[in-house]
Amino acid sequence: MPLDSGLCLSGTSEMALAGFFENYMLEENELPLKVAAVSRCFRAETSGLTEEKGIYRVHQFTKVEMFSICSATQSEHMIECFKNLQLELFKKLGLKLRLLDMPPNELGASAYQKYDIEAWMPGRATWGEISSCSNCTDYQAKRLNIRYRTREGDIKYTHTVNGTAAAIPRLLIGLLETHQVDSNIIQVPEVVAKYMETDIISKAKFIPEIKLIKHLKNDM
């Protein structure tokens, strides 16, 4: 990619979803707006930790992102909705989960509140983050000039809330390690099996029987 192209690799579709609403003026009765996107995400982050090797921390991956534009009185409710939806999705996959309400020193510049969801990964014998959701209040909206008109006619900046519905590599780690029956078989969760049309994944190889037959050719 040329340096002067004006393009860059996006770390999450949250930026594109937020940017889509730049300079919007909305009516309060239109809120909340809820959108989602699936995208390829690119990250520069790396780690030298043994437990984060493999596909746990990678430079590019596919992610489904949820995003909401809401009023100042709706954002606290919206982050709870996102968090509950994430927990519901992951519980249906049979994952053992724990929810973390992150302290202020763990928040990014834009986040007012953030939940992390971790899954137990038996193969690593550790908890690993598979999702998060954040209430950014009006931090992003002020920079993007996203506003709404209240029922009383006042103009205010909206609030924004985001959450990860699925980050594929880490979700795969949790699924495979949780549902591994033995060294050759993975039990597919019921909610996924109907789409895969199988409830078992096996790496067992079928080696066909080989018969060596000699044919005599008499050219004499």
Side-chain angles (χ1 to χ4, degrees):
M1 182 183 300
L3 295 177
D4 59 351
S5 67
L7 303 175
C8 65
L9 298 175
S10 175
T12 172
S13 57
E14 174 195 342
M15 294 181 288
L17 292 171
F20 177 81
F21 294 97
E22 184 177 11
N23 295 322
Y24 262 54
M25 172 64 76
L26 300 159
E27 300 297 328
E28 186 172 9
N29 59 11
E30 296 180 273
L31 303 175
L33 297 178
K34 292 180 280 187
V35 294
V38 57
S39 70
R40 198 68 172 164
C41 303
F42 300 87
R43 304 283 177 91
E45 59 190 17
T46 58
S47 174
L49 299 176
T50 301
E51 58 268 26
E52 294 189 356
K53 288 184 177 180
I55 63 171
Y56 185 86
R57 192 178 294 278
V58 293
H59 291 302
Q60 55 179 299
F61 59 96
T62 299
K63 181 159 74 86
V64 181
E65 185 76 7
M66 304 180 293
F67 189 79
S68 176
I69 301 286
C70 52
S71 70
T73 59
Q74 293 171 332
S75 61
E76 290 189 10
H77 173 70
M78 187 55 60
I79 190 174
E80 295 298 320
C81 289
F82 277 9
K83 178 256 292 181
N84 292 336
L85 177 58
Q86 291 167 325
L87 291 172
E88 181 183 352
L89 290 171
F90 300 139
K91 285 178 180 178
K92 287 181 178 179
L93 295 174
L95 300 176
K96 182 179 180 181
L97 306 169
R98 70 177 184 182
L99 176 67
L100 306 178
D101 190 350
M102 305 305 288
N105 63 302
E106 292 288 340
L107 302 180
S110 63
Y112 165 77
Q113 182 185 9
K114 179 173 179 279
Y115 289 118
D116 276 1
I117 298 174
E118 296 183 339
W120 178 251
M121 299 180 177
R124 297 166 178 262
T126 186
W127 295 93
E129 180 193 341
I130 60 170
S131 184
S132 66
C133 55
S134 301
N135 179 2
C136 297
T137 63
D138 59 4
Y139 185 97
Q140 293 174 318
K142 284 182 175 179
R143 286 152 179 76
L144 292 168
N145 193 35
I146 310 173
R147 298 171 295 163
Y148 72 101
R149 184 181 291 106
T150 68
R151 293 178 176 84
E152 293 76 24
D154 298 325
I155 304 299
K156 294 184 178 181
Y157 287 104
T158 65
H159 283 197
T160 59
V161 179
N162 65 79
T164 301
I168 303 305
R170 292 188 184 180
L171 193 55
L172 281 176
I173 294 173
L175 281 170
L176 295 175
E177 294 186 356
T178 298
H179 298 289
Q180 183 172 348
V181 177
D182 56 35
S183 60
N184 292 317
I185 297 176
I186 303 294
Q187 182 74 45
V188 179
E190 183 179 349
V191 293
V192 180
K194 61 183 179 181
Y195 298 104
M196 297 184 63
E197 299 182 352
T198 180
D199 57 0
I200 291 291
I201 297 176
S202 174
K203 70 173 185 179
K205 297 180 180 178
F206 172 72
I207 302 176
E209 182 181 357
I210 299 176
K211 294 182 179 181
L212 299 177
I213 302 176
K214 294 182 179 180
H215 294 276
L216 297 177
K217 187 176 181 180
N218 189 358
D219 292 332
M220 299 176 65

